[in-house]
Each structure stands twice: as structure tokens, then as C-alpha cells.
Amino acid sequence: SVRAKACNLVGNLCRNSPYFYPELKNHNLIPALIQCCADSDSSVRTFAVVATGNAGFHSSYLYPDLEAAVSVLEERLHDAVSGKMRANAAGALGNLVRNGGQLMRTVVHMRVIDSLLQVALNDKSLEARRISLFSLGNILKNELGRRAALKPELRLVTLLQAMAHSTTDNRIARNFKRIQRILGEQPAPQPPQPSQQQQQQQQQQQTQGGGG
């Protein structure tokens, strides 16, 4: 269809660089692209999801315009027919947090972490599982995303560790090791800093103690 070809064109324009990002913004093409992610035609949905992911891959320039895509892409993770669609949606969501955390509150609110985890653990498509795992790694680089993903009730690390130990797929094992590395690189929580008033009181005590 014409819509599918148009979405494919947008995806190709954004594939290799962010050069055309300003044009997409200036011509207000992103809302139509997001709408196409929920089109009744499966080919339109496929090309639109890929194009949406490409629009967020190279930089965060279009992130404000792409915020509305988060909920639509989360829905595509539950596509009952196409494993390729679920893989593309997982990759697109990973791209929307790849270049910064501007959309992380929306990602957390839309329960994207839960959905990606379920795909990574249970999907019939090996590629969807691989890409979901990689996108979870992108989310874990962000403090807000990490706090949401590491809530005890989600058991994310425990479940993924069990999966990684039982898999024979090298990419799944490699993507889990990447998650371990990301978590290991995060700084340890800093102790609370004393307030200015507390600092002044400490200084007064030190002065009084030294005066004797």
C-alpha cells in the first residue's frame, strides 16, 4: 500500500544518520508515523514500527515527538501473529531510551519493563527475546529505569539469570552479561549529605572543642 511504502521511505531516511530528523519534525510527520504503528494493515505496522525506532536511534532530537509512540509500541510487543513485529517493537522501545532518559517516566508508567521482561523470558521468537533483553539493558542504564526494573517483586535479575544459565543461544547469554556489566558499572548509593545547618553546627562544635 501507499502507506506502507511511505513508512518504509521514512525508515530508510533515518536508517544511517539523524540528517533528516529536523525535516520529519518540521513537516510534522511523527504523529502520522505513530498512527501507522497501529494501522489495520500489518505491512504498514511493520514498516512504521521500524521507522519509529530509526527516528530515535541516532539522537534524542525527536524524543519529545516520539513520546506518544511508547504506548503503541508496548501494544505491539503483544502482537499475537508476528514474532518479527514483537522484535521490531522491542528494538524501537530500546531506541527511545538509548540516547537519554527524557521518555523514561513514560516508559515506566506504560509498564514497558514488565512487557519486555515477559518477551525476553517467554517469547516463541528467539529474535524477539534477544532484542528485548538488549532493550532492557538500555533501560537499566538510566537511574529511574533501573529503580523501576529492580523492584523486588519484579525479580528481574533472578529470572534473567535463570534464563541465561539455561540457554544455548550465544546472543542471549551475551546480552545478559551486558546487563550484569551495566549494573556493575553503576555507582554505589551515596550517603545523605548533611544540610547547611548541620554543617554549621558541626563547625561550631569543632571550634568550641578546639578552644579549650
Side-chain angles (χ1 to χ4, degrees), residues 67 70 74 93 96-97 102-114 116 139 145 148:
E67 184 172 8
V70 174
E74 193 278 333
L93 286 164
L96 296 188
V97 298
Q102 295 96 313
L103 302 182
M104 191 59 68
R105 290 189 181 279
T106 304
V107 166
V108 172
H109 178 70
M110 294 296 173
R111 303 183 66 83
V112 169
I113 297 170
D114 308 59
L116 285 173
I139 290 172

PDB file of all heavy atoms in Angstrom, residues 67 70 74 93 96-97 102-114 116 139 145 148:
ATOM      1  N   GLU A  67       7.144  10.574  22.168  1.00  0.00           N
ATOM      2  CA  GLU A  67       6.612  10.094  23.448  1.00  0.00           C
ATOM      3  C   GLU A  67       5.319   9.301  23.275  1.00  0.00           C
ATOM      4  O   GLU A  67       5.103   8.276  23.936  1.00  0.00           O
ATOM      5  CB  GLU A  67       6.379  11.264  24.396  1.00  0.00           C
ATOM      6  CG  GLU A  67       5.913  10.819  25.778  1.00  0.00           C
ATOM      7  CD  GLU A  67       5.866  11.956  26.776  1.00  0.00           C
ATOM      8  OE1 GLU A  67       6.044  13.130  26.359  1.00  0.00           O
ATOM      9  OE2 GLU A  67       5.645  11.682  27.970  1.00  0.00           O
ATOM     10  N   VAL A  70       5.345   5.386  22.719  1.00  0.00           N
ATOM     11  CA  VAL A  70       5.699   4.385  23.736  1.00  0.00           C
ATOM     12  C   VAL A  70       4.547   3.416  23.970  1.00  0.00           C
ATOM     13  O   VAL A  70       4.731   2.186  23.958  1.00  0.00           O
ATOM     14  CB  VAL A  70       6.111   5.073  25.048  1.00  0.00           C
ATOM     15  CG1 VAL A  70       6.328   4.033  26.155  1.00  0.00           C
ATOM     16  CG2 VAL A  70       7.370   5.897  24.846  1.00  0.00           C
ATOM     17  N   GLU A  74       4.433  -0.558  22.983  1.00  0.00           N
ATOM     18  CA  GLU A  74       4.199  -1.563  24.028  1.00  0.00           C
ATOM     19  C   GLU A  74       3.097  -2.523  23.600  1.00  0.00           C
ATOM     20  O   GLU A  74       3.183  -3.739  23.843  1.00  0.00           O
ATOM     21  CB  GLU A  74       3.840  -0.864  25.341  1.00  0.00           C
ATOM     22  CG  GLU A  74       3.883  -1.777  26.558  1.00  0.00           C
ATOM     23  CD  GLU A  74       2.624  -2.604  26.739  1.00  0.00           C
ATOM     24  OE1 GLU A  74       1.552  -2.155  26.282  1.00  0.00           O
ATOM     25  OE2 GLU A  74       2.706  -3.697  27.345  1.00  0.00           O
ATOM     26  N   LEU A  93      11.554   0.388  21.186  1.00  0.00           N
ATOM     27  CA  LEU A  93      11.463   0.880  22.565  1.00  0.00           C
ATOM     28  C   LEU A  93      12.851   1.076  23.168  1.00  0.00           C
ATOM     29  O   LEU A  93      13.096   2.044  23.891  1.00  0.00           O
ATOM     30  CB  LEU A  93      10.643  -0.097  23.413  1.00  0.00           C
ATOM     31  CG  LEU A  93       9.130  -0.053  23.152  1.00  0.00           C
ATOM     32  CD1 LEU A  93       8.446  -1.279  23.727  1.00  0.00           C
ATOM     33  CD2 LEU A  93       8.521   1.219  23.749  1.00  0.00           C
ATOM     34  N   LEU A  96      14.245   4.334  22.077  1.00  0.00           N
ATOM     35  CA  LEU A  96      13.644   5.523  22.688  1.00  0.00           C
ATOM     36  C   LEU A  96      14.234   5.845  24.061  1.00  0.00           C
ATOM     37  O   LEU A  96      13.895   6.877  24.652  1.00  0.00           O
ATOM     38  CB  LEU A  96      12.125   5.354  22.798  1.00  0.00           C
ATOM     39  CG  LEU A  96      11.368   5.250  21.468  1.00  0.00           C
ATOM     40  CD1 LEU A  96       9.864   5.277  21.708  1.00  0.00           C
ATOM     41  CD2 LEU A  96      11.769   6.350  20.495  1.00  0.00           C
ATOM     42  N   VAL A  97      15.102   4.972  24.562  1.00  0.00           N
ATOM     43  CA  VAL A  97      15.834   5.289  25.793  1.00  0.00           C
ATOM     44  C   VAL A  97      17.345   5.219  25.573  1.00  0.00           C
ATOM     45  O   VAL A  97      18.127   5.427  26.494  1.00  0.00           O
ATOM     46  CB  VAL A  97      15.438   4.337  26.951  1.00  0.00           C
ATOM     47  CG1 VAL A  97      13.969   4.496  27.284  1.00  0.00           C
ATOM     48  CG2 VAL A  97      15.742   2.883  26.602  1.00  0.00           C
ATOM     49  N   GLN A 102      14.795  11.095  28.663  1.00  0.00           N
ATOM     50  CA  GLN A 102      13.654  12.007  28.562  1.00  0.00           C
ATOM     51  C   GLN A 102      12.312  11.288  28.588  1.00  0.00           C
ATOM     52  O   GLN A 102      11.326  11.822  29.090  1.00  0.00           O
ATOM     53  CB  GLN A 102      13.749  12.851  27.284  1.00  0.00           C
ATOM     54  CG  GLN A 102      14.930  13.799  27.229  1.00  0.00           C
ATOM     55  CD  GLN A 102      16.099  13.210  26.478  1.00  0.00           C
ATOM     56  OE1 GLN A 102      16.480  12.062  26.710  1.00  0.00           O
ATOM     57  NE2 GLN A 102      16.687  13.992  25.579  1.00  0.00           N
ATOM     58  N   LEU A 103      12.260  10.078  28.048  1.00  0.00           N
ATOM     59  CA  LEU A 103      10.993   9.352  27.951  1.00  0.00           C
ATOM     60  C   LEU A 103      10.860   8.261  29.006  1.00  0.00           C
ATOM     61  O   LEU A 103       9.911   7.473  28.963  1.00  0.00           O
ATOM     62  CB  LEU A 103      10.850   8.731  26.548  1.00  0.00           C
ATOM     63  CG  LEU A 103      10.897   9.703  25.377  1.00  0.00           C
ATOM     64  CD1 LEU A 103      10.697   8.962  24.065  1.00  0.00           C
ATOM     65  CD2 LEU A 103       9.845  10.794  25.525  1.00  0.00           C
ATOM     66  N   MET A 104      11.788   8.207  29.953  1.00  0.00           N
ATOM     67  CA  MET A 104      11.801   7.086  30.888  1.00  0.00           C
ATOM     68  C   MET A 104      10.568   7.060  31.781  1.00  0.00           C
ATOM     69  O   MET A 104      10.051   5.987  32.102  1.00  0.00           O
ATOM     70  CB  MET A 104      13.074   7.123  31.733  1.00  0.00           C
ATOM     71  CG  MET A 104      13.300   5.853  32.545  1.00  0.00           C
ATOM     72  SD  MET A 104      13.417   4.360  31.512  1.00  0.00           S
ATOM     73  CE  MET A 104      14.978   4.672  30.673  1.00  0.00           C
ATOM     74  N   ARG A 105      10.079   8.212  32.216  1.00  0.00           N
ATOM     75  CA  ARG A 105       8.875   8.212  33.056  1.00  0.00           C
ATOM     76  C   ARG A 105       7.697   7.592  32.307  1.00  0.00           C
ATOM     77  O   ARG A 105       6.902   6.834  32.891  1.00  0.00           O
ATOM     78  CB  ARG A 105       8.532   9.634  33.501  1.00  0.00           C
ATOM     79  CG  ARG A 105       9.505  10.213  34.509  1.00  0.00           C
ATOM     80  CD  ARG A 105       9.022  11.526  35.105  1.00  0.00           C
ATOM     81  NE  ARG A 105       9.991  12.052  36.040  1.00  0.00           N
ATOM     82  CZ  ARG A 105      10.117  11.662  37.301  1.00  0.00           C
ATOM     83  NH1 ARG A 105       9.285  10.742  37.771  1.00  0.00           N
ATOM     84  NH2 ARG A 105      11.033  12.186  38.087  1.00  0.00           N
ATOM     85  N   THR A 106       7.593   7.900  31.038  1.00  0.00           N
ATOM     86  CA  THR A 106       6.520   7.311  30.234  1.00  0.00           C
ATOM     87  C   THR A 106       6.741   5.820  30.050  1.00  0.00           C
ATOM     88  O   THR A 106       5.794   5.024  30.126  1.00  0.00           O
ATOM     89  CB  THR A 106       6.452   8.009  28.862  1.00  0.00           C
ATOM     90  OG1 THR A 106       6.275   9.413  29.055  1.00  0.00           O
ATOM     91  CG2 THR A 106       5.303   7.472  28.031  1.00  0.00           C
ATOM     92  N   VAL A 107       7.981   5.428  29.818  1.00  0.00           N
ATOM     93  CA  VAL A 107       8.306   4.009  29.671  1.00  0.00           C
ATOM     94  C   VAL A 107       7.932   3.235  30.932  1.00  0.00           C
ATOM     95  O   VAL A 107       7.327   2.156  30.867  1.00  0.00           O
ATOM     96  CB  VAL A 107       9.816   3.848  29.361  1.00  0.00           C
ATOM     97  CG1 VAL A 107      10.274   2.406  29.545  1.00  0.00           C
ATOM     98  CG2 VAL A 107      10.114   4.299  27.938  1.00  0.00           C
ATOM     99  N   VAL A 108       8.262   3.782  32.094  1.00  0.00           N
ATOM    100  CA  VAL A 108       7.929   3.120  33.354  1.00  0.00           C
ATOM    101  C   VAL A 108       6.423   3.095  33.564  1.00  0.00           C
ATOM    102  O   VAL A 108       5.851   2.061  33.941  1.00  0.00           O
ATOM    103  CB  VAL A 108       8.635   3.832  34.532  1.00  0.00           C
ATOM    104  CG1 VAL A 108       8.138   3.279  35.865  1.00  0.00           C
ATOM    105  CG2 VAL A 108      10.148   3.664  34.421  1.00  0.00           C
ATOM    106  N   HIS A 109       5.768   4.223  33.300  1.00  0.00           N
ATOM    107  CA  HIS A 109       4.318   4.318  33.510  1.00  0.00           C
ATOM    108  C   HIS A 109       3.553   3.330  32.631  1.00  0.00           C
ATOM    109  O   HIS A 109       2.544   2.748  33.069  1.00  0.00           O
ATOM    110  CB  HIS A 109       3.850   5.749  33.224  1.00  0.00           C
ATOM    111  CG  HIS A 109       2.372   5.947  33.366  1.00  0.00           C
ATOM    112  ND1 HIS A 109       1.729   5.909  34.583  1.00  0.00           N
ATOM    113  CD2 HIS A 109       1.408   6.174  32.434  1.00  0.00           C
ATOM    114  CE1 HIS A 109       0.433   6.108  34.405  1.00  0.00           C
ATOM    115  NE2 HIS A 109       0.213   6.265  33.112  1.00  0.00           N
ATOM    116  N   MET A 110       4.031   3.121  31.423  1.00  0.00           N
ATOM    117  CA  MET A 110       3.351   2.222  30.484  1.00  0.00           C
ATOM    118  C   MET A 110       3.741   0.753  30.688  1.00  0.00           C
ATOM    119  O   MET A 110       3.394  -0.097  29.874  1.00  0.00           O
ATOM    120  CB  MET A 110       3.667   2.638  29.034  1.00  0.00           C
ATOM    121  CG  MET A 110       3.093   3.982  28.656  1.00  0.00           C
ATOM    122  SD  MET A 110       1.286   3.942  28.716  1.00  0.00           S
ATOM    123  CE  MET A 110       0.912   5.671  28.429  1.00  0.00           C
ATOM    124  N   ARG A 111       4.474   0.478  31.753  1.00  0.00           N
ATOM    125  CA  ARG A 111       4.858  -0.885  32.117  1.00  0.00           C
ATOM    126  C   ARG A 111       5.632  -1.587  30.997  1.00  0.00           C
ATOM    127  O   ARG A 111       5.498  -2.798  30.782  1.00  0.00           O
ATOM    128  CB  ARG A 111       3.619  -1.704  32.524  1.00  0.00           C
ATOM    129  CG  ARG A 111       2.840  -1.088  33.675  1.00  0.00           C
ATOM    130  CD  ARG A 111       1.675  -1.967  34.102  1.00  0.00           C
ATOM    131  NE  ARG A 111       2.115  -3.234  34.665  1.00  0.00           N
ATOM    132  CZ  ARG A 111       2.503  -3.413  35.921  1.00  0.00           C
ATOM    133  NH1 ARG A 111       2.499  -2.391  36.760  1.00  0.00           N
ATOM    134  NH2 ARG A 111       2.879  -4.590  36.339  1.00  0.00           N
ATOM    135  N   VAL A 112       6.444  -0.819  30.311  1.00  0.00           N
ATOM    136  CA  VAL A 112       7.258  -1.372  29.234  1.00  0.00           C
ATOM    137  C   VAL A 112       8.259  -2.385  29.781  1.00  0.00           C
ATOM    138  O   VAL A 112       8.533  -3.416  29.148  1.00  0.00           O
ATOM    139  CB  VAL A 112       7.986  -0.236  28.477  1.00  0.00           C
ATOM    140  CG1 VAL A 112       9.050  -0.790  27.537  1.00  0.00           C
ATOM    141  CG2 VAL A 112       6.978   0.597  27.696  1.00  0.00           C
ATOM    142  N   ILE A 113       8.805  -2.119  30.966  1.00  0.00           N
ATOM    143  CA  ILE A 113       9.799  -3.025  31.551  1.00  0.00           C
ATOM    144  C   ILE A 113       9.191  -4.402  31.768  1.00  0.00           C
ATOM    145  O   ILE A 113       9.789  -5.428  31.416  1.00  0.00           O
ATOM    146  CB  ILE A 113      10.345  -2.449  32.871  1.00  0.00           C
ATOM    147  CG1 ILE A 113      11.079  -1.134  32.612  1.00  0.00           C
ATOM    148  CG2 ILE A 113      11.276  -3.443  33.557  1.00  0.00           C
ATOM    149  CD1 ILE A 113      11.447  -0.365  33.866  1.00  0.00           C
ATOM    150  N   ASP A 114       7.991  -4.433  32.320  1.00  0.00           N
ATOM    151  CA  ASP A 114       7.319  -5.716  32.556  1.00  0.00           C
ATOM    152  C   ASP A 114       7.098  -6.469  31.249  1.00  0.00           C
ATOM    153  O   ASP A 114       7.333  -7.688  31.167  1.00  0.00           O
ATOM    154  CB  ASP A 114       5.972  -5.484  33.239  1.00  0.00           C
ATOM    155  CG  ASP A 114       6.071  -4.624  34.486  1.00  0.00           C
ATOM    156  OD1 ASP A 114       6.543  -3.476  34.366  1.00  0.00           O
ATOM    157  OD2 ASP A 114       5.669  -5.086  35.555  1.00  0.00           O
ATOM    158  N   LEU A 116       8.692  -6.093  28.307  1.00  0.00           N
ATOM    159  CA  LEU A 116       9.962  -6.546  27.731  1.00  0.00           C
ATOM    160  C   LEU A 116      10.491  -7.767  28.465  1.00  0.00           C
ATOM    161  O   LEU A 116      11.033  -8.700  27.843  1.00  0.00           O
ATOM    162  CB  LEU A 116      10.996  -5.422  27.787  1.00  0.00           C
ATOM    163  CG  LEU A 116      10.839  -4.285  26.779  1.00  0.00           C
ATOM    164  CD1 LEU A 116      11.847  -3.173  27.087  1.00  0.00           C
ATOM    165  CD2 LEU A 116      11.025  -4.766  25.342  1.00  0.00           C
ATOM    166  N   ILE A 139      17.464   0.354  29.245  1.00  0.00           N
ATOM    167  CA  ILE A 139      16.659   0.946  30.318  1.00  0.00           C
ATOM    168  C   ILE A 139      17.443   0.976  31.626  1.00  0.00           C
ATOM    169  O   ILE A 139      17.392   1.943  32.385  1.00  0.00           O
ATOM    170  CB  ILE A 139      15.340   0.169  30.477  1.00  0.00           C
ATOM    171  CG1 ILE A 139      14.422   0.428  29.270  1.00  0.00           C
ATOM    172  CG2 ILE A 139      14.629   0.543  31.786  1.00  0.00           C
ATOM    173  CD1 ILE A 139      13.177  -0.436  29.235  1.00  0.00           C
ATOM    174  N   GLY A 145      14.853   4.179  35.335  1.00  0.00           N
ATOM    175  CA  GLY A 145      14.552   2.873  34.768  1.00  0.00           C
ATOM    176  C   GLY A 145      15.101   1.746  35.619  1.00  0.00           C
ATOM    177  O   GLY A 145      14.448   0.708  35.811  1.00  0.00           O
ATOM    178  N   ALA A 148      12.973   1.188  38.753  1.00  0.00           N
ATOM    179  CA  ALA A 148      11.722   0.501  38.424  1.00  0.00           C
ATOM    180  C   ALA A 148      11.964  -0.968  38.092  1.00  0.00           C
ATOM    181  O   ALA A 148      11.191  -1.847  38.481  1.00  0.00           O
ATOM    182  CB  ALA A 148      11.047   1.206  37.243  1.00  0.00           C
TER     183      ALA A 148
END
